[in-house]
Amino acid sequence: MDKKVRVRFAPSPTGGLHLGGVRTVLFNYLFAKHHGGDFILRIEDTDQTRFVPGAEEYIFNCLAWCGLTPDESAIHGGPYGPYRQSERKALYRDYAEQLVAKGLAYYAFDTAEALEAKRKEIPNFQYSHATRLQMKNSLTLSKEETEQLLAAQTPHVIRINMPADETISFTDMIRGEVNFHSALVDDKVLLKADGMPTYHLAVVVDDYLMKITHAFRGEEWLPSAPVHIVLWKHLFGLENMPQWAHLPLILKPDGNGKLSKRDGDRLGFPVFAMDWQDPRTNEKTTGFKERGFLPEAFINMLAMLGWNDGTGQEIFTLEELVKQFSMERVHKGGAKFDYEKAKWFNHEWLKKLPVEQWMPEVKKQFEANNITITDDKKLIEVIELVKDRCSLFSDFVQQASFFFKAPEAIEVTAIQPKWNEQKNLFFAELIRAYELMPLWKHDELEKEFKEIAAVNDIKPGELMLPLRIMLVGGKFGPHVFNIAEIIGKEETIKRMQHTLGMLK
RNA sequence: GGAGCGUUGGUCAAGGGGUUAAGACACCUCCCUUUCACGGAGGAAUCACGGGUUCGAUUCCCGUACGCUCUACCA
């Protein structure tokens, strides 16, 4: 029987959680759940210089919002902890030493200055089989010298001793067989001078210890795969190595290249899952959540960036995605992010989900714009009326504020040129009639409106827009008489009089 | 510079040796609508280029071009 599937997402807590990161989580999650396996979240915080307070908690919050709950993590617990690499520091050195003992790694004592000098001396310098004999390390020093330096606690790193002439190959679940020539891969640092492992060492040690069966990560990792393969071969055996899949990148909408936070700022759309405030600069970046996206839509949209089930279906629930997902159907090429399409996904989900479920978000958006809503029944009525014209929760502010508050700007210029005394008289009469209306219902209002128009011999079409401008302030929104009914007699008449005053 | 990966309409993409080369988003036209949307009907691709293999290539092979990623004691 096959081993239980175990996958992991391993972010470093250095800032906001990027679209591409969430998609990597998603594909990990979908694959694991499709196979009845476990999804592990491991924090890769081995670079102490890049530690950002709050970033870890933020990642957990994003995952919670998305509904992608880890089975094991630093906060969910689990049998293979700790799940923060900084807390596992002690165990890495031993593996690096094992490699040194076997001659597959070596101590290197080169200072930053020496490395810098070498880079200047040799163009495109690589610390590799071609150059390592020119450097200060346990390969060039005598055994005694090395031991002396070590005993004196001289700062040093441990580097992998890449084979000089081997073909390193592995099978990627998305790309098939991939080959590298070992001579072109440099001797990556495995253990840093501060005793922390680099990503290269940590990822293989932890994947082994945590019994990871499938390792998925972004395509940017492909060039360093041979380092990981060599490590696996000598540390734990290729037969125990997880199956790899390198996911295609999410590209910027214009031009080419990886989508970055900068692109979002420049083009006006979010890139992070949720709002992120950098504690060092206090710079605040809005996320998809706060911008008015439903998590269901966000996930759905991400899933379709680089994957589809081949049927043409585009709207999927998480459960459906779990059921349908397969790594073989993931694309090789990167996908450009399209914000318009992202909004479309949200629009579809808005239509699909019951209003009650997302009404609180709409309220929040109104509150952020100083409109407090106390009447839930009215809000639901309003939402039903305008939801076809909204893609995001934030759109409701623009589309429905006038139901709760008289419009601040009245687009009188839209009606002024064609305004005349006849229309003036019509509206005066309409107001008198409306004041006496016993039943304030949209069909009654419309009937009355048309009757008075007929008596005055004006085409109703000439009067509809003026009425709309009076009530809404602009040329948009649902049927005018529905609006009038909801805002009520008093408010309707007040707004008519207000605009009439402006037209005199 | 080197290595690896990629390339079907503006975008996401289905398909796969012989097809009218799906569908969605965006865009344009029309219908519906006395506003804006929604909805409905239409509109656009010689499948990067050049060689092969083949009766036949967008599909297989090899080159070329272009793009991207990596090339840190960052992940």
Side-chain angles (χ1 to χ4, degrees):
Chain A
M1 204 180 124
D2 283 340
K3 285 185 292 184
K4 185 175 192 188
V5 167
R6 290 173 58 80
V7 304
R8 96 279 125 135
F9 175 62
S12 24
T14 52
L17 185 59
H18 188 275
L19 270 184
V22 182
R23 200 201 42 182
T24 303
V25 177
L26 216 213
F27 284 9
N28 267 287
Y29 180 91
L30 295 178
F31 183 87
K33 295 304 154 189
H34 181 84
H35 293 283
D38 291 330
F39 168 55
I40 290 99
L41 188 103
R42 180 172 74 217
I43 302 291
E44 308 224 337
D45 55 350
T46 55
D47 186 356
Q48 294 163 331
T49 64
R50 294 213 304 165
F51 175 76
V52 175
E56 182 186 313
E57 192 193 351
Y58 167 86
I59 289 169
F60 280 109
N61 290 341
C62 289
L63 260 44
W65 178 62
C66 293
L68 304 172
T69 314
D71 296 293
E72 297 169 26
S73 82
I75 64 169
H76 298 86
Y80 299 95
Y83 291 91
R84 276 183 206 98
Q85 287 179 335
S86 60
E87 293 169 13
R88 321 178 111 244
K89 180 179 174 183
L91 91 227
Y92 300 105
R93 176 146 207 128
D94 184 49
Y95 289 99
E97 301 277 4
Q98 275 182 40
L99 257 6
V100 175
K102 291 195 225 168
L104 299 160
Y106 56 90
Y107 301 105
F109 301 94
D110 314 276
T111 60
E113 295 73 36
L115 251 17
E116 189 50 40
K118 210 68 186 170
R119 278 191 257 267
K120 271 191 188 144
E121 181 192 327
I122 307 174
N124 301 318
F125 169 78
Q126 285 218 130
Y127 207 121
S128 70
H129 74 102
T131 56
R132 60 184 163 229
L133 263 15
Q134 304 167 27
M135 308 302 290
K136 188 179 179 184
N137 54 47
S138 58
L139 266 21
T140 55
L141 265 19
S142 72
K143 205 173 172 215
E144 293 69 34
E145 283 174 309
T146 302
E147 274 165 12
Q148 261 175 33
L149 287 170
L150 254 20
Q153 308 212 328
T154 313
H156 64 278
V157 301
I158 295 180
R159 283 182 183 270
I160 188 170
N161 193 347
M162 279 304 276
D165 185 23
E166 258 178 41
T167 297
I168 302 167
S169 61
F170 73 100
T171 304
D172 185 283
M173 292 171 76
I174 298 170
R175 289 150 215 285
E177 189 179 306
V178 183
N179 299 297
F180 296 88
H181 195 71
S182 66
L184 301 163
V185 182
D186 61 333
D187 290 352
K188 288 269 181 265
V189 169
L190 263 21
L191 199 77
K192 300 187 255 189
D194 65 1
M196 278 287 195
T198 58
Y199 170 81
H200 306 294
L201 211 218
V203 75
V204 336
V205 169
D206 287 341
D207 281 354
Y208 171 74
L209 261 17
M210 295 182 179
K211 296 194 162 45
I212 300 304
T213 58
H214 301 263
F216 310 138
R217 72 221 311 191
E219 191 188 338
E220 68 268 28
W221 288 105
L222 206 40
S224 60
V227 177
H228 311 316
I229 308 294
V230 169
L231 252 20
W232 267 100
K233 182 175 169 187
H234 295 298
L235 242 21
F236 310 116
L238 255 19
E239 67 281 8
N240 295 312
M241 185 170 74
Q243 277 190 263
W244 298 98
H246 290 87
L247 273 21
L249 266 18
I250 296 178
L251 276 15
K252 58 186 73 188
D254 55 343
N256 296 299
K258 244 195 321 188
L259 176 69
S260 71
K261 187 186 93 58
R262 260 267 169 271
D263 297 312
D265 297 344
R266 182 170 56 85
L267 271 12
F269 58 78
V271 168
F272 293 156
M274 290 169 67
D275 274 6
W276 166 250
Q277 185 160 18
D278 192 313
R280 296 161 303 187
T281 60
N282 277 333
E283 189 196 357
K284 203 178 164 190
T285 313
T286 56
F288 279 87
K289 175 175 187 266
E290 290 78 3
R291 193 61 166 261
F293 277 82
L294 283 157
E296 289 87 347
F298 182 56
I299 287 307
N300 192 163
M301 175 273 290
L302 248 21
M304 302 311 289
L305 240 36
W307 176 87
N308 67 76
D309 75 345
T311 66
Q313 181 179 346
E314 291 195 278
I315 303 299
F316 290 87
T317 62
L318 223 209
E319 293 67 38
E320 287 171 324
L321 288 171
V322 166
K323 193 158 169 257
Q324 296 304 119
F325 188 78
S326 77
M327 204 47 83
E328 287 70 28
R329 287 199 64 87
V330 173
H331 276 228
K332 295 182 176 83
K336 287 185 183 176
F337 176 67
D338 181 352
Y339 188 51
E340 291 305 318
K341 185 88 188 214
K343 286 196 286 194
W344 176 80
F345 276 106
N346 206 59
H347 189 242
E348 292 302 305
W349 272 94
L350 235 32
K351 288 195 290 192
K352 199 172 147 85
L353 254 31
V355 171
E356 293 72 25
Q357 194 168 326
W358 42 268
M359 199 173 58
E361 291 301 325
V362 176
K363 262 194 195 175
K364 255 187 227 164
Q365 293 288 343
F366 276 117
E367 270 155 29
N369 285 275
N370 297 317
I371 296 174
T372 310
I373 291 173
T374 45
D375 187 346
D376 280 3
K377 232 185 95 197
K378 179 178 172 187
L379 180 59
I380 289 180
E381 215 177 330
V382 167
I383 288 175
E384 289 298 348
L385 231 36
V386 302
K387 72 174 187 180
D388 277 350
R389 325 153 208 245
C390 297
S391 293
L392 306 178
F393 292 136
S394 50
D395 291 340
F396 283 93
V397 175
Q398 156 67 22
Q399 289 296 328
S401 287
F402 59 83
F403 281 106
F404 304 98
K405 200 173 119 188
E408 277 161 26
I410 311 277
E411 214 183 301
V412 264
T413 51
I415 49 174
Q416 193 120 51
K418 286 180 157 183
W419 193 253
N420 55 33
E421 187 52 26
Q422 197 190 12
K423 287 181 183 172
N424 219 4
L425 290 172
F426 166 83
F427 278 101
E429 196 178 335
L430 185 65
I431 286 171
R432 279 195 300 277
Y434 276 4
E435 269 168 347
L436 300 170
M437 291 285 284
L439 206 64
W440 193 258
K441 287 281 171 208
H442 65 90
D443 42 357
E444 295 293 324
L445 297 172
E446 183 168 358
K447 212 175 111 197
E448 191 70 28
F449 180 93
K450 285 186 173 164
E451 274 169 18
I452 298 175
V455 169
N456 284 275
D457 199 26
I458 312 177
K459 283 188 200 134
E462 306 235 347
L463 302 162
M464 294 292 251
L465 188 62
L467 181 58
R468 171 171 300 279
I469 297 293
M470 290 171 188
L471 302 188
V472 176
K475 292 192 271 187
F476 64 96
H479 287 289
V480 233
F481 299 105
N482 284 317
I483 297 170
E485 178 181 324
I486 289 180
I487 64 177
K489 183 193 279 192
E490 194 187 332
E491 183 67 17
T492 299
I493 292 171
K494 209 170 112 193
R495 290 189 193 180
M496 286 166 74
Q497 284 168 336
H498 178 248
T499 305
L500 246 21
M502 294 171 78
L503 284 160
K504 269 177 188 153

